[in-house]
Amino acid sequence: MGVPLRKNVQFQLLWAGGAVSQLGTTITTLAMPLLVVALTGSYLLPGVIAGARAAALLLTLMPAGVWVDRWDRRRTLVWSQSVQALAAALLAVAILTGHTYLYVFIALAVVDGVCTAFASPARASAIQAVVPAEQLTTAFAQEEARGHAARVAGPPLGALLMVAGRSVPFVVDALSYAVAAACAWFAKIPERAEKPRQRMRHDLKDAGRWLWRQTGLRNLTIVFLVLNLLGGASMLPVFALVAERGGSSLDTGVVFAGIGVGGVLGSLLAPKVTLAPGPLMVAVLAVFGVCTLAMALPFGVFWPFVPLAVTAVVTPLINVSVSAVQSLLVPPDMMGRLDAVSTLAARVLTPVSPALGGFLAGTVGGGVALLAFGALILVTALVAAFTDLSTSVQRKPSLGDREDRGVH
């Protein structure tokens, strides 16, 4: 038995930095649309800004994945998160000085998206390098818990910071990225062994062919693509629904904290779930669809908190399951590229997702938009039930029996 994960200093440094930066991100995820809607009265423009960030991330992911497999992972994390800190600080300055132009928001969102394209595969590769195979499921569960814990505090904190000053949430976000960069700097991530380098297109083809031959993972990625599109599109309608029912920005923050509350619970449950990724994905889709429909029920301003929390409980279950299987299957020297290829495939439609949600919410209202997206998610669940989602490595009980899994 190796060193317990809680004593793995390198992983815990990566985790702590990620936790702080995730909190900053969730703060501005709420603050950004609240600010733009307050300035313009439009639900479409926040979607355009979010779409620009997503597009920049996706366009950069493929080359970033190749470079991450070639470069020093620690330096990649440090530089990408440092630039994100600078971008958030510049946005705070723009707000303070009254330069709240759409192109400023879009330009800095693009910078953040490009940096995320490097940080995400570098982080996945770094975790694979510092965590033993038998602890990967626990590590990814802790990663999920980090993100969802941030979502508990982030939305209401973002709303409160907006009251303190429109630039304050973005100052906090800048500081959070700086802390993450410092944690990555002090983490001792093993250097890569030198290997012959191919042209970038060959590296990408290798990763793409590998994923294509893994039928179950390939089909799971396609299902993630649809879920990311419809799930992402349903977020701005929730903003609109709370506003339609007379809710304030703080009320919106409380509602979205439901994602964090449910996510923390789901992260604790994830290591204990032994259901294979395929059947688990079908169950997750069914829960997502029903809960998205349920958000439109006329039960008051805070009602969406409940279905959001329920969807967040099941999200870590599938994320941890697929992440652990992928980390066990993927060759270490391909992890950065494979993470980029699979992420791109699963998120290629996300640039249109917030714009679609904002457009539909502005056209037919938040409630009707949620009914439409919920119905489409249920159709996806039905199709997935008749699709081959099996993986060649299942989450065997022996994997969990190799370590103490009692504290998650």
Side-chain angles (χ1 to χ4, degrees):
M1 182 180 293
V3 176
L5 192 63
R6 66 180 181 277
K7 294 184 179 179
N8 186 329
V9 176
Q10 316 319 323
F11 173 72
Q12 296 302 337
L13 275 171
L14 291 171
W15 184 89
V20 175
S21 67
Q22 187 73 45
L23 178 61
T25 298
T26 55
I27 286 172
T28 54
T29 296
L30 179 74
M32 176 70 78
L34 287 176
L35 175 61
V36 175
V37 170
L39 291 171
T40 66
S42 169
Y43 285 102
L44 177 60
L45 290 182
V48 170
I49 295 167
R53 179 189 180 277
L57 188 157
L58 294 174
L59 289 172
T60 312
L61 261 177
M62 299 288 270
V66 174
W67 288 325
V68 163
D69 279 339
R70 297 177 178 180
W71 295 346
D72 182 277
R73 291 165 287 202
R74 182 173 67 95
R75 287 193 176 93
T76 302
L77 279 171
V78 170
W79 278 105
S80 58
Q81 291 170 335
S82 296
V83 174
Q84 284 177 303
L86 178 61
L90 288 174
L91 184 54
V93 171
I95 295 168
L96 277 172
T97 57
H99 292 83
T100 50
Y101 306 115
L102 181 61
Y103 71 85
V104 173
F105 285 97
I106 291 177
L108 294 175
V110 165
V111 171
D112 186 73
V114 170
C115 291
T116 301
F118 282 91
S120 180
R123 183 177 186 81
S125 183
I127 289 172
Q128 187 191 46
V130 301
V131 176
E134 65 270 18
Q135 296 178 343
L136 282 171
T137 299
T138 307
F140 282 114
Q142 189 171 325
E143 285 282 285
E144 282 287 318
R146 175 206 76 200
H148 289 291
R151 291 184 185 100
V152 175
L157 183 56
L160 286 172
L161 292 174
M162 282 286 288
V163 174
R166 288 180 169 178
S167 66
V168 176
F170 305 97
V171 172
V172 173
D173 194 24
L175 292 173
S176 74
Y177 278 125
V179 170
C183 288
W185 176 258
F186 286 108
K188 295 178 181 178
I189 302 169
E191 295 184 2
R192 301 181 184 281
E194 287 293 327
K195 65 171 186 173
R197 294 183 179 181
Q198 308 179 90
R199 291 187 176 182
M200 181 178 292
R201 67 173 181 270
H202 293 308
D203 282 340
L204 292 174
K205 283 181 181 178
D206 286 346
R209 278 195 298 262
W210 188 94
L211 180 61
W212 183 259
R213 290 168 183 163
Q214 303 290 327
T215 305
L217 281 179
R218 181 188 70 208
N219 291 340
L220 282 167
T221 301
I222 294 171
V223 176
F224 271 122
L225 167 67
V226 179
L227 182 57
N228 285 334
L229 171 66
L230 299 175
S234 66
M235 290 299 99
L236 280 174
V238 178
F239 275 87
L241 184 66
V242 173
E244 289 164 8
R245 294 177 177 178
S248 65
S249 60
L250 183 57
D251 295 335
T252 304
V254 171
V255 167
F256 274 90
I259 298 175
V261 172
V264 171
L265 178 59
S267 301
L268 296 174
L269 294 174
K272 306 178 188 302
V273 175
T274 57
L275 192 63
L280 184 58
M281 175 62 88
V282 175
V284 167
L285 285 166
V287 172
F288 255 85
V290 170
C291 288
T292 304
L293 292 173
M295 280 189 274
L297 293 173
F299 293 159
V301 170
F302 296 105
W303 162 247
F305 177 99
V306 176
L308 280 175
V310 175
T311 60
V313 169
V314 299
T315 300
L317 307 186
I318 190 63
N319 286 345
V320 170
S321 178
V322 174
S323 295
V325 166
Q326 183 169 294
S327 289
L328 289 169
L329 285 172
V330 179
D333 62 350
M334 191 186 286
M335 190 62 191
R337 285 170 286 157
L338 198 284
D339 184 80
V341 168
S342 59
T343 301
L344 176 63
R347 297 184 182 181
V348 70
L349 296 180
T350 53
V352 303
S353 183
L356 174 63
F359 171 77
L360 204 57
T363 304
V364 299
V368 175
L370 289 168
L371 291 174
F373 292 132
L376 290 172
I377 293 172
L378 287 178
V379 171
T380 305
L382 183 62
V383 173
F386 295 96
T387 303
D388 181 8
L389 302 177
S390 60
T391 54
S392 57
V393 174
Q394 302 295 340
R395 296 183 62 194
K396 301 176 182 178
S398 59
L399 176 65
D401 292 342
R402 297 178 204 166
E403 63 174 323
D404 177 11
R405 296 162 64 106
V407 182
H408 300 305

